[in-house]
Amino acid sequence: MEVAVIGAGALGSLFGALLADDGNGVWLLHHRPEVAAALDEAGVVIEAADGETRRVDVRGTVDAAEVGAADLALVLVKSYATVDA
């Protein structure tokens, strides 16, 4: 499944990484280019309650056109940013 997560903050990054870790293709969209580039380059690190960590590869971008068609879109932005997202 192809997933677009609009809003790559704490929740967007977590849900996106969990979906990617389960084998889905995930794009994280962030409004700041440096954050999108860091996500694309380094992925997301998930730390479990027991302290175990794992790094998950995701794709990051600021350009929604780069994402293409998605089977699922999650909008995880602050309420005042919903219209812009």
Side-chain angles (χ1 to χ4, degrees):
M1 176 169 54
E2 290 298 314
V3 180
V5 180
I6 303 157
L11 285 177
S13 294
L14 174 62
F15 287 128
L18 291 172
L19 286 163
D21 198 40
D22 200 36
N24 298 288
V26 175
W27 280 95
L28 297 178
L29 281 91
H30 198 282
H31 66 280
R32 292 177 33 206
E34 63 274 13
V35 174
L39 290 165
D40 196 50
E41 186 176 313
V44 175
V45 175
I46 300 173
E47 182 176 345
D50 64 4
E52 180 185 337
T53 62
R54 66 184 186 277
R55 189 181 71 77
V56 180
D57 289 326
V58 294
R59 295 168 287 181
T61 187
V62 295
D63 183 7
E66 190 176 352
V67 176
D71 301 303
L72 172 67
L74 299 176
V75 180
L76 294 166
V77 298
K78 292 182 175 46
S79 61
Y80 59 79
T82 303
V83 172
D84 290 338

